[in-house]
Amino acid sequence: ICKRTYHHCEILYYISITRAAILVEMTIMTTHKWRFGYGSNIGLKTLKQKKNLNVSRYLVGTIKGWELYFMPGFQYVEPGWAAIRPHGGDGGGDGGDGQSGGREEELHGSAFLIPNDEADGLDRQEGGYNVLPVTFTSYDGEVVEQVGLYIPKKRIYS
C-alpha cells in the first residue's frame, strides 16, 4: 500500500485510524449512554465508589437553560438539597431575582458515559425523575448530544 511516498502512507494510516475510531465510537454509543450529574453526584470518585458505575468517559462542563437552586428539607433529617429548574423556574427568563441581565443560565456539572444496563439501573434508582436528552458542552469546548438530564417528574420549583 505504501509504495508511493511517505506522505501517502501517513494519509492512509490516518484514514484507517479515523475509520477505526469512528467504528469504536459508534459501538460505544449503542452500548453506552451519557448521563449528567450535579450537586453531590458530580464527582468521578462518587460515581465510581458510591454509585458503583463503570464510567468510560467523564467530562465537566455545562448545560444551557437550566439552573441549580436549593430546596429546604426536613429538620434533623435532611436540612436541604440541590435541585434544578429551567432558567427562571417559571420559564420567565430572569431567574426570579431580576439580576440575570439577559444572560442564559448554565447548569454546571459532569457528563459521564456508562454502559446501558448501568444507565437503566440509575434511571430506576432516580425514579422520581424523568430523563431529558440535552446538549452538554465541556469546559474544553467538546459538545455532546443526547446527555440524559434528570428532571423532577413533579414540578417542585416556583
Side-chain angles (χ1 to χ4, degrees), residues 4-96:
R4 291 187 181 162
T5 66
Y6 178 72
H7 180 69
H8 180 71
C9 291
E10 269 186 14
I11 291 172
L12 289 175
Y13 179 73
Y14 176 76
I15 290 170
S16 66
I17 293 296
T18 302
R19 284 184 184 161
I22 290 170
L23 287 173
V24 167
E25 187 70 20
M26 288 171 57
T27 301
I28 287 174
M29 295 314 290
T30 60
T31 61
H32 289 67
K33 293 178 184 172
W34 284 99
R35 291 295 182 258
F36 183 81
Y38 60 90
S40 64
N41 294 319
I42 196 170
L44 182 58
K45 184 177 179 180
T46 298
L47 296 171
K48 288 182 172 183
Q49 293 179 357
K50 291 187 178 178
K51 296 286 186 179
N52 202 29
L53 299 174
N54 293 298
V55 179
S56 298
R57 290 202 58 209
Y58 176 83
L59 303 168
V60 290
T62 62
I63 293 173
K64 290 188 180 197
W66 291 85
E67 62 186 357
L68 183 71
Y69 72 106
F70 295 92
M71 299 270 309
F74 306 101
Q75 190 175 10
Y76 307 117
V77 179
E78 183 75 44
W81 61 85
I84 61 168
R85 62 184 168 206
H87 173 68
D90 59 359
D94 74 354

Side-chain angles (χ1 to χ4, degrees), residues 68-139:
L68 183 71
Y69 72 106
F70 295 92
M71 299 270 309
F74 306 101
Q75 190 175 10
Y76 307 117
V77 179
E78 183 75 44
W81 61 85
I84 61 168
R85 62 184 168 206
H87 173 68
D90 59 359
D94 74 354
D97 61 5
Q99 298 180 17
S100 72
R103 74 177 188 278
E104 186 173 18
E105 292 293 324
E106 294 178 322
L107 177 62
H108 295 259
S110 62
F112 50 94
L113 187 64
I114 55 176
N116 284 343
D117 61 329
E118 292 182 12
D120 295 342
L122 188 60
D123 295 350
R124 283 189 298 277
Q125 181 182 346
E126 301 290 347
Y129 296 85
N130 288 319
V131 181
L132 178 70
V134 296
T135 301
F136 170 86
T137 304
S138 77
Y139 294 140

